[in-house]
Each structure stands twice: as C-alpha cells, then as structure tokens.
Amino acid sequence: MRRPRVDWMTRADDAILEFLLNEGNRPLIANPSTVEANIDYKISHVRRRLRALQDGGLVAYYDEDRGLYRISERGRQYLEGELDAEDLELNEE
C-alpha cells in the first residue's frame, strides 16, 4: 500500500497516525505527551504535527478541553492508502 505524500506532511505524521490507530487493537485516545512517550519525536514537534494533522482532517479532538486526540476516519483511509494526494491538500484561503 502506497501512502500519498504532500508538502505539508512529515515522517512524524505517519508515526503519530500509526500510534493512534493501534493496529489490531482498539484505536487510542491520547494527549501529545502520551504520543511523544511512544514515538521517537519531541513533544514540541508532536504538538505541531497534531495541529497540522487536525487541519488536514486526519486526527480530531476526542476531548478538546483535556487535549485528547483520536485518529479520524480520514486518517484511517490515509494509512490504508485509500486517499490520493489531492485529497490531502490543505485549502489555503
């Protein structure tokens, strides 16, 4: 399965999405600190990437007040290679 790449995405994005998907198990709900503790990127980078992934519709808040994120259906589709690059382009307004 080939995942599309677009300019705004980084390698950290795949690691974050794969962690939240928790393949073979129930998807995880996590805050940036939990994500950071389980992947090889610093907390400041994880926070930036989660915001970018949210802007791209690949993650969503589970509980905004507590800063908890979950993978979205669109994020699952990305990991499965079901989206094209143009589906991932951010609308610059």
Side-chain angles (χ1 to χ4, degrees):
M1 114 192 86
R2 180 141 163 68
R3 296 176 186 159
R5 278 281 178 223
V6 290
D7 290 342
W8 66 267
M9 294 185 78
T10 70
R11 282 182 276 173
D13 297 342
D14 281 359
I16 291 168
L17 291 169
E18 288 168 357
F19 172 74
L20 291 173
L21 180 63
N22 195 26
E23 192 171 341
N25 297 295
R26 186 173 168 190
L28 299 174
I29 296 165
N31 62 25
S33 296
T34 302
V35 174
E36 184 258 350
N38 287 278
I39 66 172
D40 197 24
Y41 294 92
K42 299 211 181 273
I43 187 72
S44 59
H45 191 62
V46 169
R47 283 189 180 113
R48 276 193 307 277
R49 297 318 309 155
L50 281 167
R51 284 190 296 270
L53 289 168
Q54 184 180 21
D55 289 345
L58 301 176
V59 301
Y61 272 122
Y62 174 80
D63 185 331
E64 186 172 1
D65 292 336
R66 293 173 35 201
L68 297 173
Y69 291 87
R70 63 174 174 75
I71 192 167
S72 67
E73 182 57 34
R74 186 174 163 86
R76 288 186 177 111
Q77 290 172 339
Y78 165 75
L79 289 177
E80 292 295 320
E82 296 174 1
L83 297 179
D84 294 324
E86 60 265 10
D87 296 328
L88 294 170
E89 290 298 334
L90 296 177
N91 293 328
E92 301 292 327
E93 296 182 24

